Amino acid sequence: MSKLETTARQLVAPKKGILAADESTGTIGKRFASVNVDSTAESRCAYRDGLFLADGLSEFVSGVILYDETLRQTSSTGQPIPEMLAARGILPGIKVDTGAKELAGCPGEKITEGLDGLRDRLVEYAGLGARFAKWRAVITIGDGIPSETCIDVNAHALARYAALCVENGLVPIVEPEVLMDGAHPIETCYAATHRAQTAVFAALVKQRVPLEQILLKPNMVLSGSDCPKPADVHEVAVQTLRCLKNTVPAAVPGIVFLSGGQSDELATAHLNEMNKLGDCPWEISFSYGRALQAPALKAWAGQADQMVDAQAALFKRARLNGLARSGDYSDSLEAA
Ligand code: 5MM
């Protein structure tokens, strides 16, 4: 097995998933503001380093996606953060896109930037200890959108990124995110997700990306967040797996879902239901940001002496998602 396939498979090992802690400076600023914490390089490091040092985290977390700033920061242990993670059995990863910007000619739609100079940045990131990378494309559902243009240009960029990662020894996590904003029914999300994933795999194959060496980070197929009659957990699991089976080749080692604004408990319940349904050619796992961090951020609220509670809150969500990897989660465990 190639080195990258081994790493990709390590990231989706049984019971484990990925912690997405790669919020850009603007996004983490909003998250901190929600708990009245000033966002500075020091406070961001204290929060993230504190979470990564949670006891036993590596039992359920295989890798962490870092932001450029964090990859260069020093842990309270005195080690560079990527070295500290690796020493604790957690693979360090890095977000390498530079954000989603307005797509010219397509009002209301976005294209993710960051390809210029990417080869050089990947060489540097690998030197700093990163073992995998992430690039997120954003697809919006609305009146007459997503357009073919938006789907195609984002798929092309994702494939260019993935090919460069493979060339430079990092496992690419390919993230086409269909946003859940809107009042649309689940069928609309299914159609947009099907189109996005079909285009992404066509582009990956065309650009000669070995599919054994990547992970897909998709949205789940959900009703819009303002849909008056949202689909239930079972229906979400059925439609999400149906969509994946129609679009994702079996060579891909794993699917690591984003949570996309779902509540932490619902994101776990959906993952659990998919693993209960089973019968998939890929591992079905998680790469959650908000659904892992939300209770921890609230518990911490900028207070150093509350970091122990934040670590416990993160560990709890990681453990419950770890159980959902084998369909062994139930909501009665939330109270425990
Ligand atoms: C953690 O948030 C990531 C970075 O977002 P920005 O670049 O917009 O700041 C984001 O890409 C994240 O990794 C995924 O969306 C998954 O996070 P959620 O919260 O949706 O599980």
Side-chain angles (χ1 to χ4, degrees), residues 4 118-120 122-123 126 130 162-171:
L4 290 192
L118 181 58
R119 178 180 273 129
D120 294 340
L122 292 174
V123 171
L164 282 165
C165 285
V166 169
E167 180 195 86
N168 291 286
L170 289 114
V171 169

Side-chain angles (χ1 to χ4, degrees), residues 18-239:
I18 296 170
L19 167 62
D22 59 312
E23 300 86 356
S24 54
T25 310
T27 303
I28 194 78
K30 283 185 216 147
R31 305 268 189 272
F32 276 19
S34 73
V35 290
N36 295 316
V37 175
D38 278 347
S39 181
T40 64
E42 290 71 32
S43 63
R44 294 191 287 270
C45 187
Y47 168 67
R48 287 165 164 160
D49 179 49
L51 290 189
F52 304 160
L53 288 167
D55 267 349
L57 195 62
S58 64
E59 194 182 342
F60 304 110
V61 170
S62 54
V64 175
I65 314 173
L66 303 169
Y67 187 55
D68 180 279
E69 173 186 82
T70 323
L71 190 75
R72 302 169 195 280
Q73 286 176 321
T74 303
S75 165
S76 57
T77 63
Q79 300 157 294
I81 296 244
E83 191 182 311
M84 176 274 283
L85 287 169
R88 298 171 74 85
I90 296 177
L91 295 171
I94 178 75
K95 181 234 288 295
V96 302
D97 65 71
T98 56
K101 310 285 161 54
E102 299 304 314
L103 175 59
C106 295
E109 300 198 283
K110 297 203 158 158
I111 175 68
T112 301
E113 296 187 348
L115 287 171
D116 287 352
L118 181 58
R119 178 180 273 129
D120 294 340
R121 288 196 290 127
L122 292 174
V123 171
E124 188 196 5
Y125 288 145
L128 289 168
R131 301 284 305 282
F132 67 100
K134 193 204 86 173
W135 177 292
R136 171 174 172 251
V138 177
I139 314 285
T140 309
I141 292 178
D143 200 9
I145 60 172
S147 64
E148 279 313 294
T149 310
C150 174
I151 284 180
D152 286 350
V153 295
N154 276 293
H156 184 261
L158 276 165
R160 282 195 60 198
Y161 139 82
L164 282 165
C165 285
V166 169
E167 180 195 86
N168 291 286
L170 289 114
V171 169
I173 296 188
V174 172
E175 181 180 2
E177 175 175 7
V178 176
L179 299 178
M180 63 189 282
D181 304 350
H184 52 268
I186 190 168
E187 292 78 10
T188 307
C189 179
Y190 184 101
T193 306
H194 184 282
R195 285 169 64 203
Q197 289 172 357
T198 301
V200 164
F201 282 97
L204 289 168
V205 169
K206 193 166 188 181
Q207 296 189 43
R208 307 177 182 184
V209 176
L211 299 184
E212 295 85 356
Q213 299 178 24
I214 74 160
L215 294 174
L216 178 72
K217 177 166 174 169
N219 55 284
M220 296 178 194
V221 175
L222 301 166
S223 314
S225 47
D226 296 324
C227 177
K229 273 192 160 185
D232 64 17
V233 170
H234 181 72
E235 187 63 8
V236 167
V238 167
Q239 294 307 332

Side-chain angles (χ1 to χ4, degrees), residues 276-333:
K276 262 167 74 180
L277 291 172
D279 188 28
C280 293
W282 346 264
E283 295 292 327
I284 297 288
S285 185
F286 59 94
S287 172
Y288 294 159
R290 284 162 288 181
L292 280 172
Q293 292 186 56
L297 178 65
K298 221 168 142 191
W300 173 63
Q303 305 300 313
D305 61 348
Q306 289 168 197
M307 182 45 85
V308 63
D309 300 323
Q311 291 173 330
L314 172 65
F315 182 81
K316 176 181 172 183
R317 293 260 49 92
R319 188 176 80 83
L320 295 180
N321 283 299
L323 288 170
R325 286 285 326 266
S326 49
D328 291 321
Y329 164 83
S330 82
D331 53 8
S332 61
L333 296 169

